[in-house]
Coordinates of all heavy atoms in Angstrom, one line a residue:
Chain D
R104 N 79.8 84.6 86.5 CA 79.0 83.8 85.7 C 77.5 84.3 85.8 O 77.1 84.8 86.9 CB 78.9 82.3 86.2 CG 80.2 81.5 86.0 CD 80.6 81.3 84.5 NE 81.8 80.5 84.4 CZ 83.0 81.0 84.4 NH1 83.2 82.3 84.4 NH2 84.1 80.2 84.4
I105 N 76.8 84.2 84.7 CA 75.4 84.6 84.8 C 74.6 83.3 84.9 O 74.7 82.4 84.1 CB 75.0 85.4 83.5 CG1 75.8 86.7 83.4 CG2 73.5 85.7 83.6 CD1 75.6 87.4 82.1
I106 N 73.8 83.3 86.0 CA 72.9 82.1 86.2 C 71.5 82.5 86.4 O 71.2 83.4 87.3 CB 73.4 81.3 87.5 CG1 74.8 80.9 87.3 CG2 72.5 80.1 87.8 CD1 75.5 80.4 88.6
N107 N 70.6 82.0 85.5 CA 69.2 82.5 85.5 C 69.1 84.0 85.4 O 68.2 84.6 86.0 CB 68.5 82.0 86.7 CG 68.0 80.6 86.6 OD1 68.0 80.0 85.5 ND2 67.5 80.0 87.6
G108 N 70.1 84.6 84.7 CA 70.0 86.0 84.5 C 70.7 86.8 85.6 O 70.9 88.0 85.4
Y109 N 71.0 86.2 86.7 CA 71.6 86.9 87.8 C 73.1 86.8 87.8 O 73.7 85.7 87.4 CB 71.1 86.4 89.1 CG 69.6 86.7 89.3 CD1 68.6 85.7 89.1 CD2 69.2 88.0 89.8 CE1 67.3 86.0 89.3 CE2 67.8 88.3 89.9 CZ 66.9 87.3 89.7 OH 65.6 87.6 89.9
L110 N 73.8 87.8 88.2 CA 75.3 87.8 88.1 C 75.8 87.2 89.4 O 75.5 87.7 90.6 CB 75.8 89.2 88.0 CG 77.4 89.3 88.0 CD1 77.9 88.5 86.8 CD2 77.8 90.7 88.0
Y111 N 76.6 86.2 89.3 CA 77.3 85.6 90.5 C 78.8 85.9 90.2 O 79.3 85.8 89.1 CB 77.1 84.1 90.5 CG 75.7 83.8 91.1 CD1 74.6 83.8 90.4 CD2 75.6 83.4 92.5 CE1 73.4 83.5 90.9 CE2 74.4 83.2 93.1 CZ 73.3 83.2 92.3 OH 72.1 82.9 92.9
I112 N 79.5 86.2 91.3 CA 80.9 86.4 91.2 C 81.7 85.6 92.2 O 81.2 85.1 93.2 CB 81.2 87.9 91.4 CG1 80.8 88.4 92.8 CG2 80.5 88.8 90.3 CD1 81.2 89.8 93.1
S113 N 83.0 85.4 91.9 CA 83.8 84.6 92.7 C 85.3 85.1 92.7 O 86.0 84.9 91.7 CB 83.8 83.1 92.1 OG 84.6 82.3 92.9
P114 N 85.7 85.7 93.8 CA 87.1 86.2 93.8 C 88.1 85.0 93.9 O 87.8 84.1 94.6 CB 87.1 87.0 95.1 CG 85.7 87.2 95.5 CD 84.9 86.0 95.0
N115 N 89.1 85.2 93.2 CA 90.2 84.1 93.3 C 91.3 84.6 94.2 O 91.5 85.8 94.4 CB 90.8 84.0 91.9 CG 89.8 83.4 90.9 OD1 89.1 82.5 91.2 ND2 89.8 84.0 89.7
A116 N 91.9 83.6 94.9 CA 92.9 83.9 95.8 C 94.3 83.3 95.4 O 94.2 82.2 94.8 CB 92.5 83.5 97.2
V117 N 95.4 83.9 95.7 CA 96.7 83.3 95.5 C 97.1 82.7 96.9 O 97.1 83.5 97.9 CB 97.7 84.3 95.0 CG1 99.1 83.7 95.0 CG2 97.3 84.9 93.7
T118 N 97.4 81.4 97.0 CA 97.6 80.9 98.3 C 99.1 80.4 98.5 O 99.5 80.2 99.6 CB 96.7 79.7 98.5 OG1 96.8 78.8 97.4 CG2 95.3 80.1 98.7
D119 N 99.8 80.3 97.4 CA 101.2 79.8 97.5 C 102.1 80.9 98.2 O 102.3 82.0 97.6 CB 101.8 79.4 96.2 CG 103.2 79.1 96.2 OD1 103.7 78.7 97.3 OD2 103.9 79.2 95.1
P120 N 102.7 80.6 99.4 CA 103.4 81.7 100.1 C 104.6 82.2 99.2 O 104.9 83.4 99.3 CB 104.0 80.9 101.3 CG 103.1 79.7 101.5 CD 102.6 79.4 100.1
D121 N 105.3 81.4 98.5 CA 106.4 81.9 97.7 C 105.9 82.9 96.6 O 106.5 83.9 96.4 CB 107.1 80.7 97.0 CG 107.8 79.8 98.0 OD1 108.1 80.3 99.1 OD2 108.1 78.6 97.7
E122 N 104.8 82.5 96.0 CA 104.2 83.4 95.0 C 103.8 84.7 95.6 O 104.0 85.8 95.0 CB 103.1 82.7 94.2 CG 102.8 83.4 92.9 CD 101.6 82.8 92.2 OE1 101.2 81.7 92.5 OE2 101.1 83.5 91.3
I123 N 103.2 84.6 96.7 CA 102.7 85.8 97.4 C 103.9 86.7 97.7 O 103.8 87.9 97.5 CB 101.9 85.4 98.7 CG1 100.6 84.8 98.4 CG2 101.7 86.7 99.6 CD1 99.8 84.3 99.6

Side-chain angles (χ1 to χ4, degrees):
Chain D
R104 290 295 182 272
I105 299 172
I106 300 171
N107 277 351
Y109 293 100
L110 179 66
Y111 282 81
I112 62 175
S113 179
N115 296 315
V117 176
T118 50
D119 174 22
D121 293 338
E122 199 187 338
I123 290 177

